[in-house]
Amino acid sequence: VDRELAFLPVLSDRERAFAAALIVRPSALLTGLIALFDTVWSTATPIVLEAGAADPAVGVVDDMDARLLSFLLAGQTDEAAASHLGVSLRTVQRRVRDLMDRAGVRTRVQLGWHAARAGWDGAEKD
């Protein structure tokens, strides 16, 4: 969570998580989890979306939408995305809502799934 605690959902299988989690406090286990996260993070590839690669029917209509999705998929807050894009927080929230409406989804997680499924990161669809 913040290098002081780790939050691990209890998984029953790859598809579902129980409504339970483990909280890991400062310990050798937390140190190991932080090292694992840092290793995975350092080898990760940033997601950079391009407006031209998007499926217009799903909602990316310009470069700003593509950049906004890149920031959100990277875990940036709305405030951070607004700062990077040079727009107001309200503009970011309005554009995210518009993308969600166009994609026909209710959550940002679903929007991310649609973005990945549509191949907006340059990967081919299944």
Side-chain angles (χ1 to χ4, degrees), residues 8 16 21 29 32 35 39 51 59 68 70 76 89 96 99-100 109 112 120 124:
L8 302 171
R16 264 178 55 179
L29 176 57
T39 299
L68 173 57
S70 292
Q76 296 289 317
L89 173 60
V96 169
L99 287 170
M100 290 171 60
V109 171
W120 295 347
E124 288 189 28

Side-chain angles (χ1 to χ4, degrees), residues 47 49 58 69 72-73 96 99-100 103 105 107-121:
I47 298 172
L49 303 178
V58 179
L69 275 170
L72 296 179
L73 291 172
V96 169
L99 287 170
M100 290 171 60
V105 300
T107 68
R108 290 172 181 231
V109 171
Q110 291 171 329
L111 180 60
W113 181 85
H114 277 277
R117 193 81 172 140
W120 295 347
D121 63 353

